[in-house]
Amino acid sequence: VRTQVIEPDETCSNGTPRCLDSGSVDIQDVYVSAALNMSVNPNDIQSLARDIGSNYRDTIVRNRLAQVVKAVISNYKAEDILPNREVIRAEITRRMQLELEEYSISVDDVLLTNIDFTADFRKSIEAKVVAEQNAKTEANKVAIVKAQADQREEQAKGVAAALIAEAGGQAEANRLITASLTPELVQWQAVQKLSDNIQIALIPSGQGVILDQIGRAS
């Protein structure tokens, strides 16, 4: 009546002991090692031994464990089994509880101690994982290149906006300068730009230019 651990007494085709040969829905070999924790109600142990026999662990528990494990595993694609390992374990436990409750056998838990596949399938899974990782790496590279291109585009827009603003400012400055220019001011600025050592300045006739001083001694 104490808690007992029941494991398969078979050896899988890959050589793993205490293992169940199973198959996925996509016809891949799956090797499952499981352990069932169970106990028998003390009030029913005598009827169980009398009706089923003392070897009830083999005739009832192990046989049903093999059937349930294979049935549940067969609902999944091979590549989906490991990601859903906990879901599969819970489903096997639930179904074993239903299978054994009529015999007053309590199923505490079912543990999936190991799940394995053929060497060829493991290689295909590894290749798929590598391909997915490479695809993610390439996608990251593309994202980086795009981000850099976007950054350069934004920088170019900023430079263009600055140039437009500068050109607009220069145009406005030119407009103000042009509006403020008079002939006398132009003449005055021309005189101011003359070098100190200029002694003779040739003035076009008829320009009406009046100079206080034509030249200075060097």
Side-chain angles (χ1 to χ4, degrees):
V1 297
R2 293 178 299 180
T3 298
Q4 305 173 62
V5 179
I6 306 299
E7 295 179 301
D9 57 2
E10 308 170 26
T11 298
C12 281
S13 56
N14 69 342
T16 303
R18 296 184 297 279
C19 174
L20 295 170
D21 277 316
S22 306
S24 63
V25 71
D26 52 345
I27 321 299
Q28 292 290 336
D29 291 331
V30 186
Y31 312 115
V32 182
S33 298
L36 182 146
N37 296 332
M38 53 151 283
S39 59
V40 180
N41 189 320
N43 297 325
D44 299 311
I45 186 65
Q46 290 184 356
S47 60
L48 179 64
R50 182 178 61 250
D51 298 337
I52 305 299
S54 60
N55 62 340
Y56 66 90
R57 285 178 290 269
D58 294 326
T59 58
I60 295 179
V61 181
R62 283 194 175 90
N63 286 343
R64 281 168 172 71
L65 179 61
Q67 293 172 1
V68 170
V69 168
K70 293 178 181 181
V72 174
I73 290 294
S74 67
N75 293 324
Y76 291 84
K77 290 183 178 180
E79 64 180 13
D80 295 332
I81 290 175
L82 291 181
N84 291 282
R85 181 171 183 158
E86 179 57 25
V87 176
I88 293 172
R89 185 202 65 77
E91 177 63 14
I92 293 173
T93 301
R94 186 188 69 82
R95 292 180 62 168
M96 286 301 298
Q97 289 169 341
L98 294 176
E99 289 280 345
L100 299 180
E101 66 179 355
E102 64 176 298
Y103 301 101
S104 299
I105 298 175
S106 299
V107 175
D108 301 323
D109 200 2
V110 174
L111 305 177
L112 300 180
T113 56
N114 189 51
I115 300 177
D116 200 2
F117 307 90
T118 64
D120 289 341
F121 182 77
R122 288 200 304 271
K123 289 179 181 178
S124 68
I125 290 296
E126 291 172 359
K128 181 179 180 180
V129 171
V130 171
E132 290 176 349
Q133 290 175 342
N134 290 339
K136 289 180 181 179
T137 299
E138 293 302 318
N140 290 336
K141 289 180 180 179
V142 171
I144 292 173
V145 171
K146 184 179 183 302
Q148 292 174 341
D150 292 342
Q151 184 179 16
R152 289 193 294 269
E153 181 179 356
E154 291 302 319
Q155 291 175 343
K157 288 180 180 178
V159 171
L163 291 175
I164 291 173
E166 182 180 356
Q170 187 61 49
E172 178 63 16
N174 291 341
R175 186 187 68 78
L176 294 175
I177 292 173
T178 300
S180 65
L181 287 178
T182 63
E184 291 78 10
L185 179 59
V186 173
Q187 294 171 6
W188 172 252
Q189 288 180 342
V191 170
Q192 293 300 313
K193 292 181 180 298
L194 293 177
S195 176
D196 289 344
N197 62 356
I198 294 296
Q199 297 180 356
I200 299 175
L202 299 179
I203 306 300
S205 61
Q207 298 299 314
V209 178
I210 300 175
L211 301 178
D212 290 339
Q213 182 177 350
I214 294 179
R216 300 176 184 176
S218 57

